[in-house]
């Protein structure tokens, strides 16, 4: 066997070894996940399923990029506004109001209940601000932010930015199923899934405009949605351990969502001069989520 054949054999064995290790790791992870969910309360599984639905909605939203022409920037900003409206209404009607009710049921008076949820809200916004300042990421318009952003590939910077958008939505789903009535949690999940469809489309279009191939833009958009079921499970598990954590968790999720709306979505939708259309989309999204919460909750 000559040197080239020997090198090729070593390369092949190395690749086979890596594949086997990955397969074993995936098998072990699947086994542990099955054990975890089989022993978990029903609301944890409900949160996971709702998070998966939201992730699937994000994936569905990216698919038109494979075949359709790119819509105008005005349409994209309108869809951004729609998502912001849904998140604003979800924060108010599905998180803050139930959080105050939950604190009241724990024996807190109106002032104490409001302060608890308000403190949780500020904590959630503060954590997202810390993540925004610390994690390297890149916005489609504002550019790079976070520590060591200049040392990472641009693809990963976009992925981190999209993940920051989706973490609060997943947390909100998990916290809602851990403490809300099932109907109100379902309304929140439905609203988030509805707004994830245009959000997935806008994200894929932005990646396409940034120079990525259609398949890569769709793949990254789909991958970004996988953060939501993970965050949903985390939210459900943490809040489900103690009833006293419920108003704090609902406030935290609301604060995280409000931070994303104010710090990310609204500025992005207003930078191209389409404020009126973005605001119109926001109002429609807000009303839709309000109707979902009142009709299903």
């Amino acid at each position: 066997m000559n040197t080239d054949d020997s090198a090729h054999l070593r390369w092949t064995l190395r690749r086979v070894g890596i594949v086997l290790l990955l397969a074993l790791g995936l098998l072990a992870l699947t086994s542990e996940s099955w054990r975890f969910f089989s022993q978990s309360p029903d609301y944890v599984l409900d949160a996971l399923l709702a998070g998966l639905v939201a992730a699937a909605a994000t994936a569905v939203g990216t698919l038109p990029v494979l075949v359709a022409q790119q819509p105008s920037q005005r349409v994209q900003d309108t869809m951004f506004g729609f998502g912001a409206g849904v998140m604003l209404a979800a924060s108010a009607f599905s998180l803050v109001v139930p959080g105050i009710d939950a604190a009241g049921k724990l024996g807190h008076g109106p002032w104490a209940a409001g302060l608890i949820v308000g403190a949780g809200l500020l904590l959630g916004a503060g954590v997202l601000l810390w993540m925004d300042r610390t994690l390297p990421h890149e916005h489609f318009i504002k550019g790079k932010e976070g520590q060591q952003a200049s040392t990472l590939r641009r693809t990963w910077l976009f992925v981190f930015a999209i993940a920051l958008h989706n973490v609060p939505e997943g947390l909100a789903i998990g916290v809602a199923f851990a403490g809300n009535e099932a109907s109100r949690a379902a309304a929140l999940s439905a609203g988030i899934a509805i707004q994830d469809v245009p959000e997935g489309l806008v994200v894929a279009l932005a990646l396409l405009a940034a120079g990525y191939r259609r398949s890569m833009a769709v793949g990254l958009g789909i991958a970004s949605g996988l953060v939501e079921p993970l965050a949903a499970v985390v939210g459900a598990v943490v809040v489900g351990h103690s009833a006293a954590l419920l108003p704090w968790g609902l406030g935290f999720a609301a604060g995280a969502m409000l931070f994303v709306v104010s710090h990310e979505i609204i500025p992005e939708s207003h930078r191209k001069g389409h404020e009126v259309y973005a605001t119109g989309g926001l109002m429609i999204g807000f009303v839709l989520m309000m109707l979902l919460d009142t009709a299903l909750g």
Side-chain angles (χ1 to χ4, degrees):
M1 181 182 295
N2 59 37
T3 304
D4 291 340
D5 291 338
S6 178
H8 180 71
L9 178 61
R10 288 196 300 270
W11 179 83
T12 302
L13 291 175
R14 189 180 299 115
R15 293 291 294 271
V16 170
I18 292 173
V19 171
L20 288 175
L21 286 175
L22 289 174
L24 290 174
L26 181 61
L27 181 63
L29 179 61
T30 303
S31 175
E32 289 300 317
S33 298
W34 175 258
R35 183 182 306 173
F36 170 78
F37 286 110
S38 64
Q39 298 174 355
S40 297
D42 290 341
Y43 61 80
V44 176
L45 183 58
D46 291 340
L48 173 65
L49 294 176
L52 288 173
V53 170
T58 301
V60 169
T62 66
L63 297 180
V65 172
L66 292 174
V67 294
Q69 292 184 345
Q70 184 166 339
S72 66
Q73 186 64 48
R74 184 172 64 187
V75 173
Q76 295 182 50
D77 289 340
T78 303
M79 290 190 290
F80 261 134
F82 175 83
V86 170
M87 294 175 73
L88 283 174
S91 299
F93 300 113
S94 301
L95 296 172
V96 171
V97 172
I100 293 174
D101 291 342
K105 292 178 181 178
L106 292 173
H108 299 288
W111 278 97
L115 287 172
I116 288 173
V117 175
L121 191 150
L122 294 175
L123 181 62
V127 169
L128 262 291
L129 176 61
W130 173 80
M131 293 174 65
D132 184 76
R133 296 287 179 85
T134 304
L135 293 178
H137 59 284
E138 181 169 355
H139 300 278
F140 298 115
I141 298 175
K142 290 195 300 181
K144 297 179 180 180
E145 288 185 351
Q147 299 177 7
Q148 297 180 335
S150 60
T151 63
L152 291 177
R153 290 183 59 185
R154 198 168 181 228
T155 303
W156 291 110
L157 295 177
F158 279 132
V159 169
F160 288 151
I162 300 166
L164 284 175
H165 277 219
N166 290 337
V167 166
E169 298 172 11
L171 286 175
I173 291 172
V175 172
F177 275 100
N180 269 335
E181 302 89 356
S183 57
R184 176 161 274 168
L188 172 66
S189 302
I192 289 177
I194 289 172
Q195 71 93 23
D196 273 343
V197 175
E199 183 178 278
L201 176 60
V202 170
V203 165
L205 289 172
L207 288 167
L208 190 65
Y212 292 95
R213 299 190 310 274
R214 290 179 182 268
S215 58
M216 176 65 76
V218 170
L220 290 176
I222 293 174
S224 71
L226 299 179
V227 176
E228 292 189 59
L230 296 176
V233 170
V234 170
V237 169
V238 171
V239 173
H241 277 302
S242 172
L245 290 176
L246 177 58
W248 287 93
L250 291 169
F252 184 96
M257 290 181 72
L258 289 173
F259 176 87
V260 168
V261 169
S262 177
H263 189 72
E264 306 284 352
I265 299 179
I266 291 178
E268 294 277 1
S269 66
H270 284 205
R271 288 181 183 274
K272 295 295 184 68
H274 303 132
E275 295 90 343
V276 173
Y277 295 94
T279 302
L282 185 148
M283 301 302 292
I284 294 172
F286 189 96
V287 170
L288 175 63
M289 185 64 223
M290 181 185 67
L291 290 174
L292 283 173
D293 186 83
T294 54
L296 300 180

